[in-house]
Amino acid sequence: MLVSLALLALGVLTAVVAPRLLSRSDWAEREPVVALWMWQCVVAAVLLSFALSMTFSAAAAWQVVRGRIFAPAPRGVIEAYELGTHRPWSAALAVVLACGGLWTAAMLTREIRRARARRRQRHGELLARSPLLPGERPDGEGLVVLEAERPDAWWLSGTAPRLVVTTAALRRLKGRQLDAVLAHEQGHARARHDWLLHCSGALAGGFPGIPVFAAFRGEMHRLVELAADDVASRRFGRLTIALALVELNEERGVFGPGQVPDGDLPQRVNRLLAATPRLTAGRRLRLTAAAALVPVVPVLVAFVPALRALG
């Protein structure tokens, strides 16, 4: 029971402290890919802590579960976990955490189904507005140009991924700006940012009262855009992609006063124009390694009694 409570407390502590530390860091905008990795490791550590706590609580409450989990373990290891104590509380904790796990799986399934439905709808709308030419394959990848007065460009994922650009965007983007926008969208597709957004959206939607999941969703939306901006800037320059963002969004009023849906665009443009240097390779490596160790901590806590029993 003590191991279960320790893992539960560790999960809660990680969920409370880690987002505050990450929000105060001054390197996330300079290294959005590393920040994405660190956020994923933090959320994985929280979920792993709760999953291990549920497992040990179930083992303490029910002999059947205990026999399956500790079947190959020596007797001394089983005694070190003190699984026979506090059975009613262990059962209650295991049931609560199991319900949370089932709810998480249900929310993720719902998010995936909604994403697929939206993708099918957008593919249908795209096919209606831009029908296939004679001899064109419906599953072929390529660039689709739509007649529209609003400048826009987006990547449409799925079994037949397409890069969609409006005619207004083609008129406004000059020189290599269009290439930079295409590189930006391709950066999203190659890094599979849509999966990060789906997972973060499922957790935040399923547990609206948990701040760490709300912060996770907000940071994923922000950091994936910064990471895609960096992909484009490394190929075509920071000024090129910054001017392209201005050309695509100037008419939407995002650079004026007031609250707008894409209110982070001015910060993205300022970040590109500031050209703040990246972190050194050594510091990037240390941050990546430190983030990878965060999910290891719950595993170590879970094995502490066993290691002590084995000497």
Side-chain angles (χ1 to χ4, degrees):
M1 184 64 182
L2 291 178
V3 176
S4 300
L5 293 177
L7 288 167
L8 182 63
L10 178 62
V12 173
L13 182 65
T14 305
V16 172
V17 175
R20 295 181 181 180
L21 295 177
L22 289 174
S23 64
R24 296 174 184 174
S25 63
D26 59 351
W27 54 266
E29 289 195 354
R30 297 167 64 183
E31 296 295 340
V33 174
V34 178
L36 283 170
W37 168 248
M38 186 162 288
W39 269 101
Q40 293 174 72
C41 290
V42 166
V43 173
V46 173
L47 297 178
L48 183 59
S49 297
F50 293 155
L52 289 173
S53 178
M54 178 197 67
T55 302
F56 284 106
S57 297
W62 298 292
Q63 179 64 39
V64 176
V65 179
R66 188 186 319 166
R68 290 183 177 273
I69 296 176
F70 290 92
R75 184 176 183 84
V77 171
I78 300 176
E79 293 176 351
Y81 282 94
E82 301 178 354
L83 296 175
T85 60
H86 308 289
R87 287 189 176 182
W89 291 104
S90 298
L93 180 59
V95 169
V96 170
L97 292 175
C99 290
L102 292 175
W103 183 250
T104 301
M107 291 299 101
L108 184 58
T109 302
R110 185 185 70 172
E111 182 68 24
I112 293 175
R113 288 180 176 176
R114 286 181 174 179
R116 288 177 176 175
R118 290 193 300 266
R119 189 164 56 238
R120 286 194 297 267
Q121 180 182 1
R122 297 186 70 180
H123 273 288
E125 293 174 352
L126 179 63
L127 187 60
R129 296 179 62 185
S130 179
L132 297 176
L133 298 175
E136 185 179 2
R137 295 176 55 188
D139 58 345
E141 298 186 16
L143 177 66
V144 178
V145 179
L146 288 181
E147 182 71 31
E149 295 299 324
R150 178 178 177 179
D152 204 355
W154 66 92
W155 180 266
L156 190 58
S157 59
T159 56
R162 298 291 181 91
L163 189 58
V164 185
V165 181
T166 64
T167 53
L170 294 178
R171 289 192 296 266
R172 292 186 67 91
L173 297 176
K174 305 175 182 63
R176 305 206 319 170
Q177 293 176 5
L178 177 60
D179 295 330
V181 171
L182 301 184
H184 173 99
E185 298 301 330
Q186 289 170 351
H188 283 311
R190 290 171 182 169
R192 299 311 301 267
H193 287 161
D194 55 331
W195 282 103
L196 285 177
L197 299 180
H198 293 332
C199 292
S200 62
L203 289 172
F207 302 94
I210 307 299
V212 63
F213 295 145
F216 180 47
R217 178 176 58 182
E219 286 299 292
M220 289 302 98
H221 280 273
R222 185 177 73 93
L223 292 173
V224 296
E225 295 299 335
L226 299 184
D229 287 343
D230 288 348
V231 170
S233 67
R234 281 193 288 270
R235 292 183 58 186
F236 301 100
R238 290 177 174 267
L239 181 60
T240 302
I241 184 62
L243 292 176
L245 291 175
V246 173
E247 291 292 340
L248 285 178
N249 298 279
E250 187 176 14
E251 295 181 352
R252 303 181 189 180
V254 297
F255 297 100
Q259 295 292 331
V260 290
D262 296 324
D264 61 334
L265 272 168
Q267 287 77 19
R268 289 169 56 191
V269 173
N270 291 335
R271 170 181 174 270
L272 289 167
L273 296 178
T276 305
R278 300 183 64 186
L279 301 180
T280 62
R283 188 176 179 188
R284 293 200 301 272
L285 181 61
R286 289 193 297 270
L287 287 171
T288 303
L293 292 177
V294 175
V296 178
V297 176
V299 179
L300 294 178
V301 172
F303 280 101
V304 164
L307 296 175
R308 287 181 176 177
L310 295 174

